[in-house]
């Protein structure tokens, strides 16, 4: 099935996800301070969200216990924040759907139209190709 429509982020969805305290599983987050995921996870945590690092190393990051896979994360997940290459994003989206997440947020430069469509069809909110640290300040969040 070919997806011909371009995903458009809904401003109301972005605002709700950023303003409503939730549990964000950050896929690709490790203790490597030079990686973008490290600083963005800190930003998201600063907005009042709980972060859950998801990385094969399962490291504790920003005081949060890490897990090797989404399937290993106990409890509910509100948002799966995806910091992997676009060619790997579809598999993470499928895991998020299977895991019962409420939303997927594909970071700036992470684009998979077909995965976004699968997530929407499964009832998840979808944000793609943008960053909380870009959208938050636009909404007056610091």
């Amino acid at each position: 099935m070919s997806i011909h429509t371009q995903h458009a982020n809904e401003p109301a969805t972005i605002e709700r996800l950023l303003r409503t305290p939730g549990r964000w599983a950050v896929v690709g987050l490790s203790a490597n301070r030079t990686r973008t995921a490290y600083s963005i996870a800190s930003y998201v945590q600063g907005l009042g969200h709980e972060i859950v690092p998801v990385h094969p190393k399962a490291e504790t990051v920003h005081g949060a216990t890490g897990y090797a896979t989404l399937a290993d994360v106990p409890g509910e997940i509100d948002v799966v924040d995806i910091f992997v290459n676009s060619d790997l994003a579809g598999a993470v989206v499928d895991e998020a759907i299977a895991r019962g997440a409420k939303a997927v947020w594909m970071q700036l430069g992470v684009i998979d139209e077909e995965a976004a469509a699968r997530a929407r069809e499964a009832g998840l909110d979808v944000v793609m190709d943008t960053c909380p640290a870009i959208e938050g300040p636009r909404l007056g969040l610091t």
Side-chain angles (χ1 to χ4, degrees):
M1 178 174 140
S2 178
I3 304 298
H4 296 290
T5 58
Q6 193 77 3
H7 174 79
N9 290 323
E10 293 290 331
T13 298
I14 290 171
E15 183 163 6
R16 181 172 35 79
L17 293 177
L18 291 177
R19 289 191 185 274
T20 306
R23 191 162 188 245
W24 288 50
V26 185
V27 178
L29 175 58
S30 72
N32 183 343
R33 294 171 182 261
T34 65
R35 303 290 299 180
T36 304
Y38 188 88
S39 59
I40 301 306
S42 178
Y43 175 80
V44 167
Q45 194 176 45
L47 292 177
H49 302 287
E50 176 186 352
I51 62 160
V52 180
V54 179
H55 188 281
K57 293 180 182 177
E59 297 172 302
T60 296
V61 185
H62 301 306
T65 300
Y67 298 90
T69 68
L70 275 176
D72 294 337
V73 177
E76 290 192 13
I77 298 172
D78 295 304
V79 179
V80 175
D81 192 1
I82 302 172
F83 279 94
V84 299
N85 292 329
S86 294
D87 59 344
L88 302 175
V92 176
V93 168
D94 292 340
E95 289 177 51
I97 293 166
R99 185 64 182 67
K102 297 176 183 131
V104 291
W105 187 306
M106 290 181 255
Q107 282 294 324
L108 193 65
V110 180
I111 302 167
D112 185 330
E113 297 288 351
E114 291 184 359
R118 289 194 306 274
R120 279 193 303 276
E121 288 167 13
L124 280 71
D125 287 323
V126 178
V127 177
M128 185 165 58
D129 192 25
T130 192
C131 179
I134 293 171
E135 299 299 333
R138 284 188 195 159
L139 297 168
L141 303 171
T142 56

